[in-house]
């Protein structure tokens, strides 16, 4: 960026609250988001049916959630609120911050409530305790407390916010707690940016360059106000499209520090007067802002780094038994009896020696698998046999990775090496050689890379990549490729290959969940690999040098 456009006039940083979370925590958050998304869609259907409307904006959904939580009544006066007031233009009901946003810094759902416009104007920027107890007296506060306690859906942090007492010290403590995560992370990022981007750089007006942080809640509200939120969400559900990061960056960059200060003061003033936030009336940065952003948005290609490191397990955790039998090597795995079928009994190891066990299982399955009468091994002299929980069954699996006298499944492929060869008709044929972690980790057994290419036949029949084959390049997770076949072009990031079908999978550049699988490799007209820079620009890679443990290797495909 610096080499192309020079140093920027300012750096604006917006950080999410989960920036420091572990991978497990982020996955938990993603799972919760999915569950919440399904719940919100159900609520939208309820609104459509209740109010006979087709489109449900985010604000209407928020009002409905609060209205439903509060039993259809004003949270402060306990007066009824009709469903149609949720979408009325008369501003008779409003969304209020229970603890004033300007004082406590909490813009979360747990600090929001639905109330009548009159109540909101009387409350102004006070807490419920300051307003009801301080202005209206103890009796009114006791009535309100009893009302909050009676609402089963009002609990946890929201209930605490409604009933909070305390003065300036409590306010500062809560505000600090609400903002601490984002503030601390943003401060560290800002300090690091200032070290790399010092003030007084020659050529900058006034000799100073500036680093700012942006409050995420405010820029999120601006996306709604400027009409660009629909690019990343439909009916409140986020689209599986990673270009939304670019959209966030545009909004962060398009609002100046002066405008941020004006908006903040405007919010505080509206809160003091008991009025809703004025975001609907915030003008866009320029007249054609939304159209320009939308046009640019569709030209973005998300840049992802190619992952060349051999990460992950060398093999699967489960180690299965391997036995040499007359028919050849057979792999056995343990299976819970609850999952057994009658046909599985023929796969039990040593059927002659285990005849009694097989009979007991057959009778149990035919009886409907009664849970209160589990099968037992045949009785011995001491009495009843042991309860049977799992049995070993023969599988059709082929030996993969030898581990401590047993066999484990392979880990995920590290890379796929691509070779070509001219057939008798002069047409280029494509071949792929899968590379696994256990092969890279075991230098004794694999001093050179594997050379057998996948075809739809048993592995012992796979062709070796000899002198007539030419190595082209290695495909790693997130290698950018284009595939050409009979005039059709498939483009995106390499997402893996299937050794059973000799095919590869490509995912959309902007949407990792949008995948095209089962693309047979041998009949492709062309595979082109590209380098992609941070701006999403592509440069074709004509041919690479094959490596093994970081060292260029001379394979049969590349003779001296």
């Amino acid at each position: 960026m610096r080499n192309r456009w020079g140093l920027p006039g300012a750096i604006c940083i917006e950080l999410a609250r989960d920036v420091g979370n572990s991978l497990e925590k982020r996955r938990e958050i993603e799972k919760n988001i999915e569950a919440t998304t399904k719940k919100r869609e159900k609520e939208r259907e309820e609104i459509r049916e209740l109010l006979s409307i087709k489109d449900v904006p985010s604000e209407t959904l928020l009002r409905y959630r609060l209205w439903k939580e509060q039993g259809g009544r004003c949270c402060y006066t306990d007066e009824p609120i009709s469903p149609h007031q949720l979408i009325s233009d008369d501003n008779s009901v409003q969304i209020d911050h229970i603890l004033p946003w300007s004082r406590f810094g909490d813009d979360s759902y747990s600090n929001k409530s639905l109330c009548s416009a009159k109540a909101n104007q009387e409350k102004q920027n006070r807490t419920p305790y300051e307003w009801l107890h301080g202005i209206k007296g103890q009796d009114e506060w006791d009535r309100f407390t009893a009302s909050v306690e009676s609402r089963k859906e009002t609990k946890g942090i929201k209930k605490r916010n409604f009933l909070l007492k305390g003065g300036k010290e409590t306010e500062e403590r809560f505000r600090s707690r609400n903002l601490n995560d984002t503030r601390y992370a943003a401060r560290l990022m800002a300090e690091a940016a200032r070290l790399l981007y010092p003030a007084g750089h020659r050529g900058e007006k006034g000799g100073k360059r500036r680093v700012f942080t942006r409050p995420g809640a405010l820029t999120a509200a601006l996306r709604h106000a400027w009409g660009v939120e629909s690019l990343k969400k439909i009916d409140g559900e986020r689209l599986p499209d990673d270009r939304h990061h670019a959209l966030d960056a545009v909004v962060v960059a398009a609002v100046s520090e002066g405008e941020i200060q004006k908006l903040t003061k405007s919010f505080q003033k509206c809160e003091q007067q008991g009025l809703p936030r004025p975001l609907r009336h915030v003008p866009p940065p320029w007249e054609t802002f939304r159209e320009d952003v939308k046009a640019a948005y569709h030209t973005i290609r998300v840049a992802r780094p190619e992952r060349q490191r051999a990460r992950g397990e060398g093999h699967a955790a489960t180690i299965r038994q391997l036995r040499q039998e007359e028919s050849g090597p057979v792999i056995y795995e343990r299976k819970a009896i609850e999952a057994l079928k009658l046909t599985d009994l023929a796969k039990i190891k040593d059927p002659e020696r285990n005849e009694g066990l097989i009979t007991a299982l057959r009778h149990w399955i035919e009886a409907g698998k009664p849970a209160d009468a589990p099968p037992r091994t045949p009785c011995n002299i001491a009495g009843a046999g042991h309860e049977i929980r799992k049995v070993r069954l023969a599988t059709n699996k082929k030996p993969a990775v030898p581990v401590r006298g047993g066999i484990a499944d392979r880990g995920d492929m590290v890379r796929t090496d691509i070779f070509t060869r001219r057939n008798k008709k002069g047409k280029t044929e494509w071949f792929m050689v899968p590379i696994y972690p256990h092969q890279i980790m075991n230098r004794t057994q694999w001093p050179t890379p594997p050379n057998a290419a996948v075809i739809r036949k048993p592995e012992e029949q796979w062709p070796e990549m000899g002198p007539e084959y030419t190595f082209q390049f290695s495909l790693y997770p997130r290698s950018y490729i284009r595939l050409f076949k009979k005039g059709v072009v498939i483009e995106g990031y390499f997402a893996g290959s299937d050794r059973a079908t000799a095919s590869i999978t490509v995912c959309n550049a902007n949407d990792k969940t949008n995948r095209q699988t089962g693309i047979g490799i041998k009949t492709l007209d062309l595979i082109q690999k590209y380098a992609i820079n941070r701006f999403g620009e592509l440069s074709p890679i004509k041919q690479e040098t094959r490596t093994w443990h970081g060292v260029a290797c001379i394979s049969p495909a590349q003779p001296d």
Side-chain angles (χ1 to χ4, degrees):
M1 182 181 293
R2 174 181 175 177
N3 293 339
R4 181 173 299 189
W5 290 298
L7 290 172
I11 295 178
C12 300
I13 300 172
E14 181 193 51
L15 295 180
R17 287 184 180 269
D18 64 348
V19 68
N21 287 333
S22 64
L23 176 61
E24 291 77 12
K25 184 63 177 178
R26 292 198 300 272
R27 285 176 176 169
E28 181 183 341
I29 291 172
E30 289 175 1
K31 185 181 290 186
N32 291 338
I33 289 174
E34 290 177 5
T36 301
T37 299
K38 292 180 181 178
K39 185 177 180 180
R40 297 294 166 263
E41 184 53 38
K42 181 180 178 182
E43 290 169 340
R44 288 179 187 275
E45 288 299 325
E46 293 174 1
I47 297 170
R48 293 185 184 105
E49 185 176 346
L50 178 66
L51 302 176
S52 300
I53 59 175
K54 183 178 180 180
D55 297 324
V56 183
S58 298
E59 185 175 351
T60 300
L61 176 61
L62 175 58
R63 286 171 171 245
Y64 174 75
R65 290 175 61 200
L66 294 170
W67 176 80
K68 189 177 178 181
E69 180 183 275
Q70 296 169 193
R73 310 185 78 84
C74 171
C75 64
Y76 298 122
T77 67
D78 206 34
E79 296 174 352
I81 296 174
S82 71
H84 287 282
Q85 283 182 276
L86 301 178
I87 57 174
S88 175
D89 294 330
D90 62 7
N91 199 31
S92 59
V93 295
Q94 298 175 352
I95 296 173
D96 173 57
H97 285 85
I98 304 166
L99 302 179
W101 174 78
S102 60
R103 294 168 52 191
F104 289 79
D106 187 354
D107 192 44
S108 67
Y109 177 81
S110 60
N111 193 42
K112 291 177 181 176
S113 62
L114 191 69
C115 64
S116 67
K118 181 181 178 183
N120 197 16
Q121 290 163 8
E122 288 184 17
K123 179 175 177 280
Q124 298 183 3
N125 66 333
R126 304 183 185 98
T127 67
Y129 181 78
E130 291 169 344
W131 171 43
L132 295 171
H133 182 272
I135 304 298
K136 296 196 171 188
Q138 184 66 44
D139 290 345
E140 189 64 19
W141 174 250
D142 290 343
R143 179 205 62 77
F144 174 73
T145 301
S147 176
V148 173
E149 294 284 2
S150 68
R151 293 199 295 261
K152 294 181 180 180
E153 296 299 323
T154 300
K155 52 191 174 181
I157 295 175
K158 177 165 284 191
K159 184 176 180 180
R160 178 208 67 184
N161 289 352
F162 273 126
L163 303 179
L164 181 69
K165 302 177 183 178
K168 191 71 175 176
E169 183 179 341
T170 303
E171 175 185 332
E172 289 300 323
R173 185 172 71 252
F174 271 70
R175 181 175 179 82
S176 177
R177 185 182 303 167
N178 288 331
L179 299 179
N180 183 61
D181 291 346
T182 301
R183 176 193 292 158
Y184 180 67
R187 186 171 71 244
L188 290 181
M189 283 293 296
E191 289 173 357
R194 290 187 183 104
L195 290 175
L196 298 172
Y197 189 51
H201 188 276
R202 188 173 60 188
E204 172 67 16
K205 185 178 180 181
K208 294 182 180 180
R209 293 182 181 273
R210 301 173 294 170
V211 176
F212 299 109
T213 57
R214 293 280 185 261
L218 186 57
T219 51
L222 286 173
R223 289 196 303 271
H224 285 280
W226 293 342
V228 296
E229 184 72 3
S230 60
L231 293 175
K232 62 188 293 186
K233 290 184 179 180
I234 294 180
D235 286 339
E237 182 176 351
R238 175 171 290 182
L239 298 171
D241 191 325
D242 290 334
R243 288 177 295 180
H244 67 85
H245 296 298
L247 184 62
D248 295 342
V250 167
V251 175
V252 169
V255 59
S256 69
E257 189 68 12
E259 289 169 330
I260 289 282
Q261 297 299 329
K262 288 180 183 178
L263 285 171
T264 302
K265 290 178 180 178
S266 176
F267 287 177
Q268 293 171 345
K269 183 178 179 181
C270 289
E271 196 171 56
Q272 290 169 358
Q273 297 175 358
L275 299 174
R277 291 186 186 180
L279 272 173
R280 292 180 181 177
H281 310 294
V282 176
W286 59 87
E287 187 176 349
T288 59
F289 176 78
R290 186 183 187 282
E291 290 73 20
D292 294 346
V293 169
K294 188 174 181 180
Y297 192 73
H298 295 298
T299 67
I300 296 172
R301 180 187 292 113
V302 175
R304 308 184 194 277
E306 186 178 62
R307 194 178 69 209
Q308 295 191 6
R309 290 180 60 186
R311 297 178 177 175
E313 302 173 323
H315 56 78
T318 302
I319 300 175
R320 299 180 175 88
Q321 185 183 51
L322 176 65
R323 288 186 57 178
Q324 294 294 333
E325 300 186 356
E326 293 183 2
S327 59
V330 178
I331 296 173
Y332 288 87
E333 65 179 1
R334 290 168 63 84
K335 189 171 185 178
I337 62 169
E338 290 80 9
L340 288 179
K341 300 177 181 178
L342 286 174
T343 53
D344 290 327
L345 301 182
K347 303 175 185 177
I348 291 179
K349 185 174 65 172
D350 297 331
E352 294 180 359
R353 186 165 64 89
N354 289 313
E355 183 178 354
L357 179 144
I358 294 172
T359 301
L361 286 170
R362 178 177 291 107
H363 291 162
W364 181 71
I365 295 173
E366 290 174 345
K369 300 182 180 179
D372 58 345
R376 293 182 175 273
T377 56
C379 298
N380 53 31
I381 298 175
H386 299 290
E387 181 180 323
I388 304 170
R389 296 182 179 178
K390 291 185 177 181
V391 292
R392 291 188 188 275
L393 302 180
T395 70
N396 294 323
K397 295 179 180 292
K398 300 297 182 183
V401 185
V403 181
R404 299 192 296 275
I407 290 293
D409 290 340
R410 303 172 183 84
D412 294 332
M413 287 185 199
V414 174
R415 76 187 200 212
T416 301
D417 288 353
I418 303 299
F419 290 80
T420 56
R421 182 191 66 177
R422 294 278 185 179
N423 62 19
K424 295 179 180 179
K425 296 181 180 180
K427 187 177 186 289
T428 300
E429 294 180 323
W430 297 82
F431 299 84
M432 65 182 196
V433 176
I435 310 292
Y436 292 92
H438 71 275
Q439 295 168 329
I440 293 177
M441 294 174 183
N442 192 338
R443 294 196 183 197
T444 302
Q445 186 176 353
W446 299 95
T448 59
N451 256 351
V454 174
I455 59 173
R456 303 186 70 169
K457 292 182 179 181
E459 188 170 351
E460 55 270 16
Q461 298 181 32
W462 289 5
E464 288 287 323
M465 299 292 95
E468 68 273 27
Y469 297 86
T470 303
F471 173 73
Q472 297 295 335
F473 38 72
S474 295
L475 297 181
Y476 297 89
R478 299 197 295 256
S479 293
Y480 199 92
I481 56 176
R482 281 179 180 157
L483 311 178
F484 299 81
K485 183 176 181 178
K486 297 180 180 179
V488 176
V489 180
I490 302 170
E491 180 174 352
Y493 288 102
F494 176 69
S497 52
D498 187 338
R499 59 185 286 127
T501 59
S503 63
I504 63 178
T505 297
V506 177
C507 74
N508 181 275
N510 301 325
D511 178 4
K512 292 181 288 187
T513 66
N514 183 1
R515 298 186 169 208
Q516 188 162 344
T517 61
I519 306 169
I521 188 171
K522 190 173 182 180
T523 57
L524 290 173
D525 296 325
L526 176 66
I527 305 176
Q528 180 64 67
K529 180 178 178 182
Y530 292 84
I532 183 167
N533 64 19
R534 294 182 179 181
F535 305 104
E537 298 170 335
L538 302 176
S539 302
I541 297 174
K542 293 184 178 179
Q543 192 172 12
E544 293 178 339
T545 299
R546 199 181 193 204
T547 61
W548 192 241
H549 293 289
V551 179
C553 56
I554 303 299
S555 69
Q558 294 174 299
D560 262 339

